[in-house]
């Protein structure tokens, strides 16, 4: 059973009520269907735009909340790992790091934000005393090992 002191508390996201947005989109859609045939094209385009905007807004908000929930779960999982982790993209930019990594190397958590370069992380570690090799030589050796499939 996990120790409740170690598990971070994850705040639930506020509930999103999508119904008003769906209602607005539906009403606008019905309004478009009921428009007289001789109504100007500009009026029809406006009604269609309102319907599409309402539906698109609801979909965008729902997708954003779903992504935030998924991100929160992933960060919670990474932060509860027993290993330190930091992951970089192909441009050597930090994508994610966990709390264990920060603790292992006694780093200021506020500096390890997504987008930090590999060189920047190594400079932070060097300044904190947790990294002693030459940064350029380390990067050269790291990329050679990666190219060799290691």
């Amino acid at each position: 059973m996990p120790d409740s002191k170690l598990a971070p508390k994850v705040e639930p996201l506020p509930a999103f009520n999508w119904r008003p947005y769906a209602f607005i989109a539906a009403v606008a859609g019905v309004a478009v269907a009921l428009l007289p045939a001789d109504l100007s094209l500009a009026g029809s385009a406006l009604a269609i735009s309102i319907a599409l905007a309402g539906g698109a807004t609801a979909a965008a908000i729902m997708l954003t909340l779903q992504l935030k929930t998924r991100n929160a779960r992933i960060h919670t999982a990474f932060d509860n790992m027993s290993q330190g982790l930091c992951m970089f993209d192909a441009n050597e930019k930090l994508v994610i790091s966990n709390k264990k990594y920060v603790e292992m190397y006694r780093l200021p958590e506020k500096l390890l934000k997504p987008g930090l370069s590999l060189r920047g992380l190594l400079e932070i570690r060097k300044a904190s005393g947790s990294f002693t090799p030459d940064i350029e030589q380390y990067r050269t050796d790291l990329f050679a090992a990666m190219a060799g499939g290691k």
Side-chain angles (χ1 to χ4, degrees):
M1 183 163 166
D3 185 353
S4 63
K5 292 179 187 174
L6 298 178
K9 183 174 180 169
V10 178
E11 295 295 324
L13 291 173
F16 172 69
N17 187 0
W18 54 270
R19 289 172 186 85
Y21 297 98
F23 178 75
I24 291 168
V27 168
V30 169
V32 169
L34 297 177
L35 286 173
D38 62 345
L39 188 66
S40 72
L41 184 60
S44 296
L46 177 62
I48 291 170
S49 297
I50 291 169
L52 291 175
T57 301
I61 291 171
M62 288 175 15
L63 179 61
T64 300
L65 288 176
Q66 287 173 352
L67 290 174
K68 284 184 179 185
T69 300
R70 185 173 293 154
N71 264 354
R73 289 178 181 155
I74 289 170
H75 280 277
T76 299
F78 282 151
D79 283 340
N80 283 302
M81 291 174 60
S82 59
Q83 299 85 11
L85 168 87
C86 65
M87 192 179 339
F88 292 85
D89 65 13
N91 296 319
E92 297 183 50
K93 299 295 182 186
L94 183 65
V95 176
I96 191 168
S97 63
N98 66 0
K99 289 183 182 183
K100 187 67 173 179
Y101 186 86
V102 171
E103 292 168 4
M104 281 174 37
Y105 296 111
R106 300 176 307 278
L107 301 173
E109 189 173 355
K110 64 183 178 183
L111 295 180
L112 269 71
K113 299 292 180 199
L116 176 68
S117 68
L118 173 60
R119 170 183 289 290
L121 174 68
L122 295 175
E123 288 172 354
I124 291 168
R125 284 197 48 206
K126 194 161 199 113
S128 74
S130 66
F131 185 82
T132 56
D134 177 69
I135 291 175
E136 278 311 307
Q137 186 61 50
Y138 178 83
R139 288 179 68 249
T140 301
D141 294 344
L142 174 66
F143 295 126
M146 289 170 57
K150 298 180 181 178

